[in-house]
């Protein structure tokens, strides 16, 4: 489809759920041989296992809250979104939430809260979380707001409801920007795609708070820009080992160690790769490759899935894979509603 087509919206939201559901199998595993990944993915074709047998985790649970809040208010409403996060956690606390964020979610359920951003600020001795929980649910912001400035602003605020460290919320901004660009067809020119992300993040990471956090945490001056430069170096090479990707970019639970990694997975899988089946299309390659990295597989596959789905569209996702995932059908339906909202905006597509 063309830029911001319905197929791209559906692809983004459904592939994010898919990545979360199929990635759950390997979350936390140190090494995942590609053979095991392919076995797992092949087993999805087995219809006897039944529909929706792979549960989604916190990644999808929170993304669904983001989508529903934005649709209910035709925009960003901080109190409503915070309330939905808290309610969802209260109803299904066993979706695999990070150990820190559950304290925020419990505080957010209080109705006397005057500032909904305060519980997130109290995390980790007042520094706030740098986990990837803001980034894992950032894709819907790119599907709701056509203007890049709005995507930046609301992805940041939406993440700050739980992640107040700049290394957490800037990761969410980067993930939302990647989906935003992909939706416009920017992955047709991968070099320009990564350059534009670097240009945007140069600006995003230039404020005092970002600089201060980077210094305190002993990271590069602009940590996400630094990682995106590494992504560019790696994507220019014909052969890259999984070990190198992990040591250069990471596969962990911090936003800094997972968002650039997810972006690399998408870029690396734009072309056929020796380690992946020839009959796989780009979307399938991206999901398989993300799982083979091990570590935070559900979240990296979820984020890579959203970016790749916005590029390839819904047709690229095998129906048998969709059938296995709890919440995939629901994501497909809400993607259509986001598509309407996006194109209703004055600056829409
Ligand atoms: O970021 P968050 O919502 O977790 C998301 C992850 C995804 O992989 C999901 O699939 C799920 O498995 O969890 O939850 P947080 O609790 O805010 O952060 C996750 C973890 O990152 C924390 O439990 C800490 O181990 C670590 N972390 C920090 N550690 C030290 N200092 C995050 N921020 C800090 C910090 O400032
Ligand atoms: Mg999860
Ligand atoms: Mg995870």
């Amino acid at each position: 489809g063309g830029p911001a087509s319905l197929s791209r919206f559906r692809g983004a939201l459904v592939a994010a759920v898919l990545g979360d559901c199929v990635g759950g199998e390997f979350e936390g595993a140190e090494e995942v041989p590609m053979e095991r990944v392919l076995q797992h993915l092949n087993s999805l074709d087995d219809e006897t296992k039944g529909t929706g047998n792979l549960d989604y985790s916190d990644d999808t649970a929170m993304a669904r809250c983001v989508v529903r809040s934005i649709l209910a208010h035709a925009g960003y409403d901080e109190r409503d979104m915070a309330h939905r996060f808290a309610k969802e956690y209260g109803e299904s606390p066993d979706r695999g939430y990070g150990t820190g964020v559950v304290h925020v979610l419990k505080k957010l359920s209080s109705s006397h809260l005057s500032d909904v951003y305060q519980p997130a600020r109290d995390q980790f001795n007042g520094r706030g979380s740098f986990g990837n929980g803001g980034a894992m649910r950032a894709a819907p912001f790119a599907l709701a707001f056509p203007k890049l400035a709005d995507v930046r602003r609301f992805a940041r605020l939406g993440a700050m409801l739980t992640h107040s460290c700049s290394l957490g919320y800037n990761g969410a901004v980067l993930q939302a920007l990647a989906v935003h660009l992909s939706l416009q067809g920017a992955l047709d020119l991968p070099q320009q795609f990564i350059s534009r992300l670097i240009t945007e993040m140069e600006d995003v990471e230039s404020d005092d708070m970002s600089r201060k956090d980077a210094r305190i945490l002993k990271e590069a001056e602009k940590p996400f820009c630094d990682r995106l430069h590494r992504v560019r170096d790696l994507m220019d090479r014909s052969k890259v080992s999984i070990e190198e990707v992990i040591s250069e970019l990471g596969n962990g639970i911090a936003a800094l160690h997972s968002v650039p990694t997810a972006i690399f997975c998408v870029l690396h899988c734009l072309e056929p790769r020796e380690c992946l089946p020839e009959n796989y299309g780009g979307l399938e390659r991206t999901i398989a490759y993300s799982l083979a990295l091990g570590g935070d597989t559900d979240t990296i596959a979820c984020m890579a899935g959203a970016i790749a789905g916005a590029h390839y569209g819904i047709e690229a996702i095998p129906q048998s894979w969709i059938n296995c995932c709890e919440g995939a059908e629901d994501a497909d339906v809400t993607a259509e509603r986001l598509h309407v909202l996006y194109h209703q905006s004055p600056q829409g597509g």
Side-chain angles (χ1 to χ4, degrees):
S5 66
L6 176 59
S7 171
R8 290 177 185 268
F9 277 70
R10 295 171 64 199
L13 225 49
V14 173
V17 175
L18 177 78
D20 179 17
C21 290
V22 301
E25 173 82 6
F26 305 111
E27 191 180 21
E30 218 163 275
E31 265 174 63
V32 186
M34 187 59 87
E35 211 184 317
R36 269 190 68 204
V37 170
L38 298 179
Q39 248 172 36
H40 178 50
L41 292 174
N42 284 339
S43 79
L44 305 182
D45 294 329
D46 181 356
E47 282 168 19
T48 60
K49 292 200 173 159
T51 313
N53 65 311
L54 295 177
D55 290 348
Y56 62 74
S57 77
D58 56 329
D59 304 48
T60 300
M62 296 194 87
R64 285 163 63 119
C65 296
V66 172
V67 169
R68 281 165 167 69
S69 179
I70 290 174
L71 286 173
H73 292 263
Y76 177 65
D77 183 297
E78 60 202 27
R79 295 198 77 85
D80 179 71
M81 199 172 284
H83 179 71
R84 285 173 196 264
F85 288 156
K87 188 158 174 280
E88 167 61 35
Y89 173 71
E91 286 166 4
S92 304
D94 300 326
R95 294 265 187 201
Y97 287 87
T99 49
V101 76
V102 301
H103 301 294
V104 179
L105 297 172
K106 283 175 189 160
K107 289 184 197 167
L108 287 178
S109 69
S110 157
S111 49
H112 323 287
L113 214 56
S114 60
D115 180 357
V116 284
Y117 296 104
Q118 192 55 44
R121 287 191 205 108
D122 296 337
Q123 292 293 95
F124 298 98
N125 302 313
R127 196 188 304 123
S129 172
F130 52 62
N132 56 19
M136 74 188 182
R137 60 173 195 258
F141 291 99
L143 305 179
F145 302 102
K147 285 200 292 198
L148 185 138
D150 289 337
V151 175
R152 264 178 67 162
R153 173 164 167 233
F154 295 122
R156 179 175 187 270
L157 288 170
M160 286 171 81
L161 291 169
T162 50
H163 291 67
S164 83
C165 176
S166 64
L167 280 113
Y169 61 73
N170 283 344
V173 171
L174 174 57
Q175 166 65 9
L177 286 175
V179 175
H180 170 81
L181 292 181
S182 177
L183 201 65
Q184 315 300 319
L187 277 166
D188 289 337
L189 298 168
Q191 290 294 340
Q192 278 189 28
F193 175 85
I194 194 76
S195 296
R196 287 183 64 186
L197 282 180
I198 291 173
T199 306
E200 285 300 321
M201 292 309 289
E202 281 284 346
D203 189 47
V204 168
E205 293 192 286
S206 65
D207 69 295
D208 291 343
M209 196 50 99
S210 301
R211 287 169 171 277
K212 191 176 150 214
D213 286 339
R215 214 170 31 243
I216 293 170
L217 291 163
K218 297 189 168 47
E219 294 291 345
E221 200 182 333
K222 294 183 176 178
F224 284 99
C225 289
D226 173 70
R227 300 278 161 155
L228 289 173
H229 282 287
R230 295 186 203 185
V231 169
R232 177 146 70 186
D233 292 342
L234 290 173
M235 72 187 265
D236 285 342
R237 292 184 15 209
S238 56
K239 254 193 138 55
V240 187
S241 73
I242 297 255
E243 292 74 22
E244 246 176 311
V245 176
I246 297 171
S247 75
E248 283 294 302
L249 302 175
N251 63 359
I253 208 164
L256 186 63
H257 302 151
S258 50
V259 182
T261 311
I263 291 168
F264 174 76
C265 289
V266 178
L267 290 165
H268 185 69
C269 293
L270 286 170
E271 286 168 39
R273 296 289 168 186
E274 232 170 66
C275 63
L276 292 160
E278 276 177 37
N279 65 322
Y280 270 19
L283 191 285
E284 294 153 290
R285 288 196 295 270
T286 305
I287 297 290
Y289 190 81
S290 306
L291 304 195
L293 295 180
D296 195 359
T297 47
D298 67 334
T299 305
I300 294 173
C302 171
M303 297 190 295
I307 303 164
H311 176 61
Y312 299 105
I314 189 72
E315 294 80 11
I317 312 175
Q319 189 60 49
S320 59
W321 292 16
I322 296 178
N323 293 345
C324 293
C325 301
E326 180 196 13
E329 198 52 52
D330 177 84
D332 202 357
V333 173
T334 51
E336 214 167 317
R337 296 179 58 198
L338 281 173
H339 181 254
V340 171
L341 176 69
Y342 180 103
H343 287 282
Q344 266 171 4
S345 314
Q347 302 292 314

